[in-house]
Amino acid sequence: MLNLDVSMGLVRVTEAAALKSARLIGRGDKIAADQAAVDGMGKAFEFMPIKGTVVIGEGELDEAPMLYIGQKVGMWEDYMPEMDIAVDPVEGTILIAKGLSDAIAVVAMGPKGSLLHAPDMYMKKIAVGSKAKGAIDINKSPKENMINVAKALNKDIRELTVITQDRDRHQNIIDDARELGARVKVFSEGDVTAVLACGFENTGIDLFMGIGGAPEGVIAAAGIKCLGGEMQAQLVPHTDEEIKRCASMGINDVSKIFTIDDLVKNEDVYFAATGITDCPFLEGVAFSKDNIATSHSIVMRSKTGTIRFIEAIHDLNKSIIME
């Protein structure tokens, strides 16, 4: 019973963040949207039946008043499990501010010690869904990985779709894909959403490659692990200060290749997300008259392989989270 309570509790956490921030869609204020999500998520965590510690959050204690690294969340009763928590109250604050697709509220959770404490810096990542597991190698070229993933999926290379962020640093990925004849989809923000899209066949996305945030990489790894997929990663520090930051977090070899089991070290992890705006696998929050809202969420658990899609109708007049 506790596991179901935990799963549904996580959904309520991401729902709260999504509902609060969705009021600010298209209003041009990414800071206010993020703060609204943090407020909603923080309040919802008070009702979670866990002893949780934020290991990936909004920053250090002196950088963030809530959901900071090291913060204790949950109800903290003696019988409750100790859990690592990784949060991104809004993945894609710019997307909300501009009213664009692919913004989500997301949480990953696992037993204490299970989530890599990733420093806030860049990380190179490659990911696929379950049917291409074993076909990727971050040390190989983008072209080699595309060919190998296409073979694993029994697809002609022209049927392969690669997703990468629309940044100059990824031009080699785009060039390689086009030279091979593969399809390319670029996104502006939000690589957790892009990685997760590889895990669902109906999105049409086969392979993720690119460099993005390391904390988001751990959250994405939890999600793709729940989906049975694979991810590899490598930190990309740019300064001596970032290298020192890695060492302070116990990462002495900055060239280390992280497997999905390095990023998420336990086989019993949870992942939940709620759409704020529409994304490839979730609809965004929709408001109707009389302060009623509809949300769409996903919650997954790697141990059981359970994937739940949850549509909820919220009477915001009665919600203590929305106060």
Side-chain angles (χ1 to χ4, degrees):
M1 184 64 181
L2 181 60
N3 288 325
L4 183 57
D5 289 344
V6 167
S7 294
M8 293 308 299
L10 270 190
V11 172
R12 294 184 184 106
V13 166
T14 57
E15 282 176 347
L19 290 166
K20 291 275 279 189
S21 60
R23 292 189 180 280
L24 296 164
I25 291 173
R27 294 187 178 179
D29 193 339
K30 68 175 186 177
I31 294 174
D34 187 57
Q35 187 59 57
V38 169
D39 291 344
M41 186 172 277
K43 181 69 174 176
F45 262 123
E46 295 177 10
F47 304 97
M48 276 287 291
I50 58 167
K51 293 187 284 187
T53 301
V54 176
V55 298
I56 291 175
E58 291 290 281
E60 303 289 351
L61 175 58
D62 59 350
E63 299 172 347
M66 189 182 293
L67 298 180
Y68 54 84
I69 296 170
Q71 181 178 341
K72 305 300 183 184
V73 297
M75 298 172 68
W76 277 82
E77 299 291 342
D78 288 343
Y79 66 91
M80 294 175 181
E82 286 195 59
M83 307 294 274
D84 282 354
I85 307 292
V87 304
D88 199 346
V90 175
E91 201 215 10
T93 54
I94 293 174
L95 301 176
I96 291 183
K98 294 183 176 181
L100 299 174
S101 301
D102 293 343
I104 61 173
V106 60
V107 174
M109 182 176 73
K112 183 178 179 181
S114 61
L115 301 181
L116 179 72
H117 297 198
D120 189 7
M121 64 179 63
Y122 279 122
M123 175 183 271
K124 182 180 179 182
K125 312 165 196 175
I126 183 169
V128 289
S130 60
K131 291 188 175 181
K133 192 172 182 179
I136 55 174
D137 185 341
I138 200 168
N139 288 316
K140 292 183 177 179
S141 69
K143 190 177 291 187
E144 287 177 287
N145 277 295
M146 292 174 207
I147 291 170
N148 290 338
V149 170
K151 287 180 180 177
L153 296 174
N154 196 27
K155 286 187 173 184
D156 186 286
I157 193 68
R158 292 169 295 181
E159 296 176 328
L160 189 80
T161 300
V162 180
I163 191 166
T164 193
Q165 193 172 19
D166 188 12
R167 298 290 187 270
D168 290 343
R169 61 180 179 268
H170 298 145
Q171 191 58 48
N172 65 314
I173 296 172
I174 295 170
D175 290 345
D176 276 3
R178 289 174 176 168
E179 186 176 332
L180 288 172
R183 291 185 287 256
V184 181
K185 183 173 183 179
V186 296
F187 64 96
S188 60
E189 306 285 340
D191 53 353
V192 174
T193 302
V195 169
L196 265 290
C198 296
F200 298 98
E201 287 191 52
N202 62 353
T203 65
I205 306 298
D206 300 307
L207 171 63
F208 172 97
M209 286 188 286
I211 296 173
E216 293 84 355
V218 176
I219 296 173
I224 204 71
K225 188 167 191 172
C226 290
L227 289 165
E230 184 180 6
M231 180 171 167
Q232 297 171 12
Q234 184 179 37
L235 292 170
V236 187
H238 287 131
T239 65
D240 289 342
E241 183 61 35
E242 290 186 339
I243 293 173
K244 291 178 182 177
R245 174 77 170 149
C246 290
S248 71
M249 300 180 77
I251 304 170
N252 295 313
D253 180 7
V254 295
S255 64
K256 175 181 172 65
I257 304 300
F258 293 95
T259 68
I260 195 165
D261 291 328
D262 295 320
L263 299 167
V264 182
K265 303 169 190 175
N266 195 283
E267 295 306 312
D268 192 10
V269 294
Y270 296 82
F271 176 95
T274 300
I276 304 172
T277 58
D278 291 349
C279 78
F281 52 91
L282 288 172
E283 294 179 35
V285 174
F287 294 99
S288 55
K289 65 179 183 178
D290 300 326
N291 215 17
I292 303 297
T294 302
S295 66
H296 293 84
S297 304
I298 185 172
V299 61
M300 305 183 285
R301 186 182 180 196
S302 62
K303 182 178 180 179
T304 61
T306 305
I307 302 169
R308 291 185 173 93
F309 287 93
I310 298 170
E311 179 179 358
I313 298 172
H314 309 267
D315 185 342
L316 303 181
N317 302 296
K318 300 178 180 179
S319 173
I320 61 173
I321 301 296
M322 301 301 290
E323 292 176 355

